[in-house]
Amino acid sequence: MTVGPPQAAEAADGQAAGKAATAAREAAPGIFKGAPVVVRGLQGAPEYNGCHGVVTAGPWENGRYEITVDKEQGKTEPKVLALKPANFQLDTEALKDYLTMKRAEKSKREPPLQDLAVVWSKGKGLSAKALAWRTLQVPEMQDHHVLLRVEKFAFSQMTLGYLMKGFTRTFSAYHSFYEFPEEGAYRSACWGYATVVESSHPKVAVGTRLYGLVPPCRYQLQPVGGIVPAGKNGDPARVELTMEGMPFNLRRFQEMEVISTPGDEAQGGEVDGEAALLEDWRLVLKEIYTMAFYMDENLLVDTGMINSVIIACASAKTALALAYCLRMREMRYVVGLTSREHFDFVKSTDLYHEVYTYDEVDSLPNNRTIVYMDFKCDGELRQKITLRMGTNLMYNMVLGPAVFQKRMKDQVFEKRAREVLFDESSWRERRRMVAEVTKTGRNEKLKYSFPAFVERIRQHIKLRRVGSAQAFEKMYDAIYSNSSLPNEAHVCTLHEEELGSDDIWGS
């Protein structure tokens, strides 16, 4: 009989034990130390069948696991069993609780994040008295959520219009953007930039920078509904957030455009200098210009080649963008109506062929067929224009309201008889099917004409940066009371330490 060296025997025993442990793992996939299990199939000690326990060690060399069974009634110590994989299984219900607990432990922030948010109090209107500031602890991360750090956002008459629209039947969902959890408080949203600082969604990486509709706050935890990949024609990828109660025709407001990702070398790094300035102009003007471009399309499709237009609230930025779009397609006669205080500014932009004040409506030329684009939503003014133009007034489009007015009497926010209400969401669907859009390269023109509009408007409008609660309230009150200057636009942040500009309005 030949006896091998002791080392060889030990190595053989170790290999056998390793194989047994591997076989045990293969027989019990998903078993780990700490896993909750249920005992089953025991014949020698059937009283433990159905008992709940926890894997505390294993697998051993014999392929068994150490299972600590919950304390029996009347016993001071829990029972420890050495079981084969065939004699226990994962406790799925307890496993869910275990994973939830571990995720909560892992996601718990230390120190906790504090959010600062501006909200409006129900029943107090939209004046500065309705503004309220809330400091809350940012909720812990949940499955398929992202935590957005709101970098900066634009605040303008458009944002105030979103808040106002929320009180109408037609646009009530405008109060459903990022609903605030507190009873008696509500908010809408602003166009801005945000960065993903935490993510539990497998396709949204931490560090992803987004552009879209954001709430006026520092942080926002939001569920992710899906990802829209980048299009072949150059359309950027989008992250679709989930907002409760959002109707289908407003779903685009849930989509955040991906500006850059951590692995994007071409767009990585900090944004500063001229690039940061262009970002701010995009915040202020991109949505405004897109709306004006669509209004021009709607007018073109509905009225054909009519070549004369009157635009009320001519100093509003959307009205300026509309005048630019009309002149871009060689509209022969574009008239601006504005207040006496804004007359010189509107005249200086050179976007209108003629400019009149509201007091001069009776002097408007009425010898040509014309269209009225109503940003003011003032019934009294509309009646004066109708009487002045007579049968030459072919079309009246309610675009509503570019400037907020405290006096609600005679204002129109929804469609009435013999008027056309411009509905951006409906036009987005309709424009896909009309030849004036699909066969004339309008999408390309929208994309490439916006930078030219920015360069034009930068000569007349100055950016103001708002970086504190006090400055925000002062800016808001000026916009609400129509005392803000038409040659100013506002970019806000609630991270005061990052304002990084000497041009702090209201400080």
Side-chain angles (χ1 to χ4, degrees), residues 76-102:
T76 57
E77 296 292 332
K79 180 69 174 179
V80 178
L81 304 174
L83 302 179
K84 296 178 181 179
N87 294 122
F88 63 89
Q89 65 182 21
L90 279 174
D91 186 349
T92 54
E93 291 300 322
L95 182 60
K96 291 178 183 179
D97 296 337
Y98 174 84
L99 294 176
T100 301
M101 179 187 68
K102 288 298 182 181

Side-chain angles (χ1 to χ4, degrees), residues 130-430:
L131 286 182
W133 296 90
R134 295 290 185 268
T135 302
L136 303 171
Q137 183 172 322
V138 177
E140 300 296 344
M141 182 59 64
Q142 302 176 37
D143 282 343
H144 285 75
H145 278 60
V146 291
L147 178 61
L148 302 177
R149 184 182 186 275
V150 180
E151 300 174 16
K152 53 187 175 181
F153 55 90
F155 198 95
S156 64
Q157 293 282 0
M158 174 178 280
T159 311
L160 202 57
Y162 288 168
L163 286 164
M164 191 168 13
K165 283 182 174 182
F167 292 109
T168 67
R169 294 187 302 274
T170 307
F171 302 107
S172 60
Y174 276 73
H175 283 178
S176 296
F177 302 142
Y178 303 104
E179 285 186 308
F180 198 70
E182 179 184 324
E183 185 70 25
Y186 69 97
R187 63 183 174 183
S188 190
C190 317
W191 293 93
Y193 288 97
T195 300
V196 178
V197 292
E198 293 180 12
S199 175
S200 60
H201 193 282
K203 294 186 178 180
V204 183
V206 172
T208 301
R209 197 157 182 263
L210 305 171
Y211 165 79
L213 212 58
V214 298
C217 62
R218 288 179 179 171
Y219 298 96
Q220 178 66 28
L221 183 67
Q222 199 71 17
V224 177
I227 306 298
V228 180
K232 296 181 180 179
N233 58 352
D235 291 339
R238 297 179 183 274
V239 175
E240 184 181 351
L241 304 180
T242 299
M243 300 179 188
E244 296 295 332
M246 190 60 53
F248 180 79
N249 63 337
L250 297 181
R251 291 288 294 275
R252 81 172 186 93
F253 290 114
Q254 299 182 153
E255 296 180 355
M256 301 283 285
E257 178 183 327
V258 176
I259 301 299
S260 63
T261 59
D264 189 350
E265 297 180 0
Q267 298 181 2
E270 296 183 0
V271 178
D272 53 15
E274 182 69 7
L277 185 61
L278 291 175
E279 273 197 352
D280 291 347
W281 282 109
R282 186 186 192 196
L283 286 182
V284 171
L285 295 176
K286 181 63 188 300
E287 185 68 12
I288 285 173
Y289 184 76
T290 302
M291 293 303 98
F293 194 87
Y294 288 168
M295 292 169 189
D296 179 36
E297 283 183 346
N298 199 165
L299 182 64
L300 173 64
V301 172
D302 286 356
T303 64
M305 297 305 294
I306 195 168
N307 55 22
S308 300
V309 175
I310 298 174
I311 301 177
C313 282
S315 62
K317 295 170 184 63
T318 313
L320 296 173
L322 177 58
Y324 181 85
C325 292
L326 293 170
R327 297 291 295 271
M328 189 166 55
R329 65 178 178 95
E330 300 181 352
M331 182 68 65
R332 293 183 183 178
Y333 189 61
V334 181
V335 178
L337 278 177
T338 189
S339 63
R340 289 185 179 275
E341 295 81 6
H342 296 168
F343 180 85
D344 291 337
F345 167 74
V346 175
K347 195 78 173 174
S348 69
T349 63
D350 200 29
L351 289 171
Y352 301 92
H353 293 94
E354 292 190 53
V355 181
Y356 292 83
T357 66
Y358 296 125
D359 299 332
E360 299 173 329
V361 171
D362 292 337
S363 302
L364 286 171
N366 59 356
N367 57 349
R368 63 182 77 199
T369 303
I370 204 161
V371 165
Y372 178 46
M373 307 295 280
D374 185 6
F375 283 105
K376 192 171 177 60
C377 295
D378 189 318
E380 184 179 349
L381 175 63
R382 185 182 300 112
Q383 185 179 17
K384 288 181 178 179
I385 292 174
T386 301
L387 292 174
R388 176 61 182 169
M389 295 296 115
T391 56
N392 283 331
L393 184 60
M394 175 184 178
Y395 191 81
N396 184 355
M397 182 181 286
V398 179
L399 305 166
V403 175
F404 180 75
Q405 301 164 74
K406 299 179 192 177
R407 187 172 64 88
M408 300 297 290
K409 184 181 178 181
D410 295 329
Q411 290 189 51
V412 178
F413 306 115
E414 300 182 80
K415 182 178 178 181
R416 293 184 181 178
R418 297 182 301 278
E419 296 170 347
V420 175
L421 173 69
F422 175 74
D423 183 358
E424 173 266 340
S425 58
S426 298
W427 178 250
R428 279 181 180 267
E429 294 298 322
R430 183 183 169 194

